[in-house]
Amino acid sequence: MTDTVAQATPDTKAAPDTMAWDSGLQRLMMIYLPLGCFVLILLFPFYWMAITSFKPNAELMNYKAHNPFWISSPTLAHIKHLLFDTAYPRWLWTTMLVAIGSTTLSLIASTLAAYAIERLRFRGSPYVGLGIYLAYLVPPSILFIPLATVVVQFGLFDSPMALILVYPTFLVPFCTWLLIGYFKSIPYELEECALVDGATRLQILRRITLPLAVPGLISAGIFSFTLSWNEFIYALAFIQSGANKTVPVAILTELVTGDVYQWGALMAGSLPVAIFYSLFVDYYVSSLTGAVKE
């Protein structure tokens, strides 16, 4: 009986070496090589921005005498010009103020809307949620004309407050749709128990639902902040004076004179956005995956 079992068992002693070689080569060709190409293509623009920010103009304008992919004589002249010869600190402060204000308004409105659509269960609530998300798909190039009329009528033209009130028009739909999915992952039995104990809807939202939906709130907040920071069309249409411009608009309109592009200052002005996003993108992705795990 033992001999029969031994004969029936396949001989795999010689297989591991071949399989290990094949799997290692396959892993190299199917995983590491495509991943390396993807990382190179993804990170090269940021590398180019960084070296351009510290290159002197002589190296920027003469690629025949200097290596375009490396810095021979690093300089801080572009950053000095950006900080002390332009209104970049004012632009940065305005952008931060607009991004924080619009994000706060969007989170408040989208939280209440998402909770009402998901938990109050009124007639037609699924269609309301779908309609809110479809509103996000309307391009800003269509909406900025009627919004400009409203902004002028309310006397908010050329004011950061105009951007704070306009940005939620495209932030609230997506944030509401995102938070609806997070509220669905929270067991409704918790709220039923709180209702039996006499808690109101606002108390349930504040003490039970929101603490459990923190990953969703963080994801929606990061999305709103980065989108508000990088928004261009509304900031270009509603802000006229140079002092009130946001960074994405100011570095293109104030640092380009005629056909002369101040490439060093342009790249240096764009670096804070890239650095800020790189610091929070990991937490943004982990928040999204955390909701899936729940």
Side-chain angles (χ1 to χ4, degrees), residues 10 13 39 46 62 68 73 84 105 157 162 174 216 219 223 251 269 273:
K13 293 182 179 179
V39 171
F46 299 99
N62 191 359
S73 302
F84 299 102
L105 291 178
F157 184 75
F174 182 84
S219 299
F223 171 83
I251 60 176
V273 182

Side-chain angles (χ1 to χ4, degrees), residues 244-258:
N244 292 331
K245 290 182 179 180
T246 58
V247 171
V249 176
I251 60 176
L252 290 179
T253 58
E254 301 295 329
L255 299 181
V256 178
T257 55

Side-chain angles (χ1 to χ4, degrees), residues 194-217:
L195 289 173
V196 171
D197 292 338
T200 63
R201 282 290 182 181
L202 289 178
Q203 291 175 337
I204 293 173
L205 177 63
R206 181 168 57 90
R207 298 181 180 180
I208 297 177
T209 306
L210 291 184
L212 295 176
V214 168
L217 295 174

Side-chain angles (χ1 to χ4, degrees), residues 186-194:
I186 300 174
Y188 188 68
E189 290 76 10
L190 297 176
E191 299 187 7
E192 290 180 339
C193 294

Side-chain angles (χ1 to χ4, degrees), residues 223-238:
F223 171 83
S224 301
F225 188 89
T226 54
L227 199 61
S228 300
W229 188 290
N230 295 324
E231 206 285 325
F232 184 83
I233 294 179
Y234 292 148
L236 179 64
F238 300 154

Side-chain angles (χ1 to χ4, degrees), residues 15 34 37 70 72 78 103 215 244 246 250-251 269:
C37 295
W70 193 248
S72 301
H78 302 305
T103 299
N244 292 331
T246 58
I251 60 176

